[in-house]
Amino acid sequence: MSTTRYLPVETTSFVGRARELDGIEKALTGSRLVTLTGVGGVGKSRLAARAAARVAPALADGARFVALAPLRDASLLGHVLLEDLRLADQFNRSPEELVAEWLADKELLLVLDSCEHLVEACSRLVRMLLDAAPGLRILTTSRQGLAVPGELVFPVDPLPVPEVVAARDAPACGDAVALFAQRAAEAVTGFSLADTDRMAAAAVCRRLDGIPLAIELAAAQLAELPDHSVYELNDRLQHRFETLVAQSGKAGRTLPRHRTLRTTIGWSHELCTPLERLLWARLSVCTGGFDLAGAQAIGCGGPLAIERVAEVLAGLVTKSLVGKHPDGLGGERYSMLDTVREFGAHWLYELSEETEVQVRHRDFYRDLACRADAEWVGPDQVSWYTRLIADRANFRTALRFCLARGEGRTALEIGGSLWMMWAGFGHTREGAHYLELALDLCREPSPERAKALWARAYVALALGDIAVSQRFSDELRTYSATHGDEATRLAAAHIQAATLALRGEHKQVALDVSPTPSRLPPRDVFPATWYLLRITHSYARLGQGDAAGCAALVSEMTEECERLGELWIRGFADYVRALATLSLGHISEAGAHARTAIEHKSLFHDSFGVVMAVEALATATTATGRSERAARLLGIGQRIWQTLGRPHLDSAEMVAAHTATERQIRTAIGDATYDTEYAAGRAMSPDDGIAYCLTPG
């Protein structure tokens, strides 16, 4: 397994820090908890990521990096860990317990980046994880220590600042000047730091106390200066600092390095155009980044016309106040460092626009969630998945804003529209959290509440919690009966049929649940339920022994999904089709359908859909006589079931099928060989396991 695949990718060059990297590596050999502390902008996050990449190869399970800066709700700390560790949160115990259980036998370095705003929650979590996992080491970054027994606090100082250079032609060197030179070259095409400029560059770095972020911001300003003069840059910085000191005694009551960064960011703010300052302030409400559409919707208004936003945003990128990187969809995504965002948030408050801009943020992400829901059944599913996952921190922010203001109906609309993220992408516990808060806040019957009830019931089914699912689906059926809505009736029927199928009561599906209409209801606010209900009916036919009827129905569904370019629902259809063709004795075809289901479900990190198809593939592989490979497939499936927390969702039918396959394999190859192959599969990472499944063998 790669030890670096879960570490952040560096988008700019890394300068210096050899002594610190050696020190962190040594510290981690003597202490299981090391915290990098220092002022904002000193480079703690990048240093931690580089140190993790350096240490990872020596650890059996490598290193993992969890970014906490976008998180504002401490109660979701465990959910974020599950998400970043690529563990599904489909479990009835706390996420923290699931993480601890997964880490228990690992030799791994866990990096928790930006803990300062979650110190108490991080302290509790760190204690729990270290107690549960003896092979675990934790590296955290924070502006203060976590106060955990055994913690080694490693102060991160600014980059070394060169001494005063006496002669103009004497080259001044050092990491700080090297960083300045690199960032200046990125800001000004063809820029090269001549020896005569090094004295001025050294003076700039001294003025900025060697703080990397301050140096990078100053270097970016060269593009705005006549002749790109380093001497002019130094003169302006000197004037800026002298002005600050002369203004009042406030600067003297601030720690020098905090004052340096604040002054540098403030100077960058002054050098921005009025529209750039305005956009900077407005975009500070975003968490976890944003795209151009979000910047336009949230940042426009008043003097900033929507058609000017892209141009103004480009100016902030040029000044290194906003970062830009590919979004995975052929476009760009933008982000702000915490210290820069905090400065913008302060000015947004000063402008008295805070609530107005937060409302625009809420509206944009509500509309985005509704669009994703409306367009989910179609050819753009993978793109929607990528975008929804990228903006999950913004969805959290929008939901928290609604809940804090008592806007329950809007919270229901956002939470219900994101059902595919909660139930389909493995974020079930987080979905349950927000949906229940919204349902408790707004109890009046409405279409938005009905959608949220269905989403919450579906999430409960994904957790294997039939009792909770039944409670919410009962209210949904009552609402449907009262309002006579066909789409809502189908949504309630879907939950009812899925519950019966999970219990193995296939005959009751036909008796208790009306047949699915042959056509999709018009203006359906539950666009996926018609497809899901038809697949559940076909699965019930298989459970009653009608494999041919099941195969015919589900074949129609796969053809319909293929016509639409739909992949997520088709993954379920291919899984059921694999089971049906297995029952009909078409073994090779069954294996092909199972692999297709795995391929499609893995695109969305739908662990439940993947592991069911892996079990079907193992059964088909056993039937072909490749028993050793089948044993390894069961091991791969077990590894995924472990992340789900409830193997086979406690379904007696699923357990019986698994047991029968295992027994057949053991009979064919013996217990010793079975155990060896099973252990090999279980040792694979989920990604490597999926790759093995998709390779015919």
Side-chain angles (χ1 to χ4, degrees), residues 526-542:
F526 299 87
T529 55
W530 181 78
Y531 302 90
L532 293 171
L533 183 55
R534 286 180 71 85
I535 292 171
T536 306
H537 271 296
S538 67
Y539 181 72
R541 282 201 178 190
L542 178 64

Side-chain angles (χ1 to χ4, degrees), residues 2 36 81 115 122 125 127 131 174 211 249 290 310 316 322 413 439 465 533-534 539 636 696:
S2 169
L36 308 185
L81 256 73
C115 298
C122 286
L125 177 69
R127 287 191 184 98
D131 287 344
I211 298 174
F290 50 90
L316 293 174
V322 170
E413 186 176 17
L439 287 165
D465 197 334
L533 183 55
R534 286 180 71 85
Y539 181 72
I636 292 169

Side-chain angles (χ1 to χ4, degrees), residues 5 45 68 82 247 360-361 453 473 534 577 611 626 658 690:
R5 69 178 61 170
S45 298
L68 300 178
L82 288 175
Q247 280 176 346
R360 288 208 293 268
H361 177 278
L453 287 169
S473 65
R534 286 180 71 85
R577 199 174 185 184
V611 74
R626 294 170 294 169
H658 174 90
I690 288 170

